[in-house]
Amino acid sequence: MAMTELETAFAHIDAHADDFVARVMDYVSHPSISAQNKGIREVAGILVDTLTAMGFEADTIATKNHPMVLGRWEKKPGKPTVLLYGHYDVQPPEPLAEWKSPPFEPTIRDGRIYARGIGDNKGQHFAQLMAIETLLETEGELPCNVLFLLEGEEEIGSPHIAEFVAEHAEKLKADLVITSDGPLHESGQPIITFGVRGVASFELHCRTARRDAHSGNFGGVMPNAIWKLVHLLSTMKNEAGEITIEGINEPVIPPTNMEREAVSQLPLDLEAIKADLGIDELDAPVDRAYYDRLMFHPTLTINGFHGGYGGEGTKTVLPCEAIAKCDIRLVEPLTPEYVFDKVRDHVERHAPDVEFIPRNGMLPSKTPMDSPFAATIEQAIAEARGETPLLYPTVGGSLPDYVFTKILKTPAFVVPYANADEANHAPNENLKIDLFIKGIKTGAAVLKRIGRMHEAG
């Protein structure tokens, strides 16, 4: 597709850039804090009205908590269907004292919009909405069929999305899913992400006696709960950095040659990362490549360790109780259930009197890098931004992409628009205005290119 086919759309976006900025600032001025149930239904209503005004069939669909917003534009029989996913809920803005301007009074400073939700994710899915509006206004129709799914619970862990997607699978049938969330590369270079790791969180509770005791009178007599947990944890990961829970690593699928090649092209300033973290060396295993650590291996993290006395000065106490909070990041094909079973078996073998408590879990997700849609999205990004995107086989964090790849059996891609220093989840969250406008252009180019694919799937 020649650039001339997008010139009209791009010219429209440039001509209306100030209007788009004003409208996204108005949008993010409406709080939608899922954790506090503030403004959720109001913002869901704003989205339904916006989609309806564009000619979508749109409505809210109830879940057991906050509603989903679903918009449908299906007027192109025989053309592919794209499902655009985002979330309209935001993180709580606290601590308020650290904001330079009020979180729900959007402010422009140095070419950036500052507001809660502007980067994560309201500003990014609003850019997708403006891309759709641009194509409708310049061409009178969309080049492909579009479903727009906006969740109201992403910031509280998406507790109902799997149930929702399974129940409404027929309404959500699509050829691919695109999410615009998260940051670009630190250099500003665009990226396409094909997968995410999953997570399995759990706690270990140890109680060795009725009460704490005097370390002199009962040390060496009463078992120490903290030592018991320390010894148990030491059987789960060794000094070489290897997870030693029996069976955890056996099913792990090694990276493909295409994934290896993509990783080899990713820029890396390891010394800058170490300086930013204030570390002199990476965690064990010492010979593991940087991106391999984040993409291709499970990890075991002790998130917190609680027990005994932590106050000022000393207290010669022998603790009767200790708690460890942990998570394991999952790679394909590990599941939370499989990992929980292996951890439970391990605890029963090594410390049967320690209580294992599984907490939340999320499946990993991965779309093959040779998907026929991958090259189409890559070319569209290059047309909109004038630079080729970096390709990430997967990223280290966890997102609910599995509901698309495993429940709907649909390839899913993440195409972020935000700057790497967007400060999402933190005070002074922001989005660079030029990246917001480039996001609109990217959204338009992606839909145009997908519409030109010869057949769906």
Side-chain angles (χ1 to χ4, degrees):
M1 182 171 63
M3 265 307 278
T4 52
E5 292 186 58
L6 279 168
E7 282 181 350
T8 302
F10 288 175
H12 177 93
I13 293 166
D14 288 333
H16 292 80
D18 290 345
D19 177 56
F20 292 148
V21 168
R23 289 167 66 187
V24 76
M25 290 175 70
D26 177 72
Y27 177 45
V28 297
S29 72
H30 298 274
S32 48
I33 308 169
S34 49
Q36 301 169 353
N37 195 17
K38 290 184 179 178
I40 289 291
R41 275 153 184 79
E42 178 193 2
V43 170
I46 290 171
L47 287 166
V48 169
D49 290 345
T50 302
L51 287 162
T52 301
M54 292 182 187
F56 277 66
E57 295 177 17
D59 207 347
T60 56
I61 302 177
T63 73
K64 291 177 181 177
N65 192 13
H66 301 324
M68 299 278 185
V69 174
L70 179 62
R72 311 170 64 85
W73 193 97
E74 297 173 291
K75 304 176 184 180
K76 284 284 190 175
K79 292 288 188 178
T81 297
V82 183
L83 192 161
L84 301 175
Y85 165 77
H87 63 93
Y88 66 90
D89 65 323
V90 302
Q91 282 280 318
E94 288 81 5
L96 296 175
E98 295 187 18
W99 284 81
K100 293 181 180 177
S101 51
F104 297 108
E105 296 180 19
T107 304
I108 295 176
R109 295 193 300 273
D110 300 321
R112 301 177 186 229
I113 304 169
Y114 287 83
R116 172 57 86 225
I118 188 66
D120 186 12
N121 156 262
K122 290 165 82 171
Q124 299 204 53
H125 69 244
F126 197 83
Q128 291 176 314
L129 286 169
M130 295 303 95
I132 290 169
E133 181 182 280
T134 293
L135 292 175
L136 288 170
E137 291 191 1
T138 57
E139 301 185 13
E141 62 179 5
L142 296 179
C144 58
N145 302 296
V146 176
L147 308 179
F148 217 130
L149 178 65
L150 292 157
E151 183 187 1
E153 298 184 329
E154 196 272 349
E155 297 293 8
I156 54 174
S158 300
H160 300 109
I161 192 170
E163 180 182 358
F164 173 85
V165 168
E167 182 179 348
H168 298 279
E170 280 300 311
K171 292 181 181 178
L172 301 173
K173 269 190 173 180
D175 296 288
L176 74 159
V177 179
I178 297 176
T179 301
S180 291
D181 200 354
L184 305 169
H185 186 263
E186 292 175 358
S187 65
Q189 194 168 348
I191 68 174
I192 303 173
T193 297
F194 293 78
V196 293
R197 289 195 296 191
V199 65
S201 298
F202 61 92
E203 296 179 15
L204 302 171
H205 288 214
C206 178
R207 190 171 187 90
T208 58
R210 184 181 295 112
R211 58 176 173 79
D212 289 351
H214 188 291
S215 68
N217 295 340
F218 293 96
V221 174
M222 185 183 109
N224 185 314
I226 293 179
W227 271 118
K228 182 163 288 238
L229 271 196
V230 167
H231 291 313
L232 172 60
L233 289 166
S234 71
T235 69
M236 300 170 79
K237 184 178 177 182
N238 62 26
E239 290 185 9
E242 300 163 332
I243 299 176
T244 49
I245 300 168
E246 296 85 344
I248 286 286
N249 289 295
E250 288 175 9
V252 171
I253 299 171
T256 65
N257 291 336
M258 184 175 284
E259 290 172 337
R260 286 276 183 212
E261 174 59 26
V263 168
S264 73
Q265 302 300 314
L266 298 180
L268 175 64
D269 188 341
L270 188 55
E271 292 308 310
I273 293 170
K274 288 160 68 174
D276 180 60
L277 291 171
I279 59 175
D280 296 321
E281 59 184 6
L282 300 183
D283 194 13
V286 294
D287 60 346
R288 182 168 290 169
Y290 179 81
Y291 285 112
D292 281 28
R293 298 164 180 266
L294 298 175
M295 296 185 183
F296 305 136
H297 297 274
T299 60
L300 169 60
T301 301
I302 302 173
N303 307 124
F305 200 115
H306 311 275
Y309 179 66
E312 187 177 348
T314 61
K315 181 181 181 183
T316 53
V317 64
L318 199 168
C320 71
E321 188 174 19
I323 297 172
K325 294 177 179 284
C326 305
D327 74 48
I328 294 177
R329 294 288 170 166
L330 312 179
V331 296
E332 291 287 11
L334 297 177
T335 68
E337 292 75 17
Y338 176 87
V339 167
F340 287 148
D341 285 345
K342 296 303 178 185
V343 175
R344 184 183 292 108
D345 291 346
H346 184 94
V347 171
E348 288 178 357
R349 272 194 299 272
H350 293 269
D353 52 347
V354 170
E355 183 183 10
F356 166 73
I357 303 175
R359 294 299 188 192
N360 59 298
M362 186 176 288
L363 287 162
S365 171
K366 187 174 282 189
T367 290
M369 296 190 74
D370 58 0
S371 162
F373 294 106
T376 297
I377 296 171
E378 185 175 353
Q379 291 158 2
I381 292 172
E383 285 171 332
R385 299 180 55 99
E387 53 186 338
T388 303
L390 300 169
L391 307 180
Y392 281 72
T394 191
V395 290
S398 301
L399 294 170
D401 286 11
Y402 74 93
V403 301
F404 307 122
T405 58
K406 296 188 175 183
I407 298 177
L408 295 181
K409 309 295 185 185
T410 304
F413 308 86
V414 180
V415 181
Y417 298 158
N419 35 289
D421 58 350
E422 62 176 317
N424 53 332
H425 293 211
N428 304 305
E429 181 177 348
N430 67 90
L431 178 63
K432 289 183 176 180
I433 291 174
D434 69 317
L435 294 181
F436 171 65
I437 299 303
K438 286 180 179 178
I440 300 173
K441 291 180 178 179
T442 300
V446 167
L447 293 179
K448 285 287 288 182
R449 268 217 167 260
I450 289 172
R452 292 187 78 250
M453 296 183 73
H454 294 300
E455 57 184 23

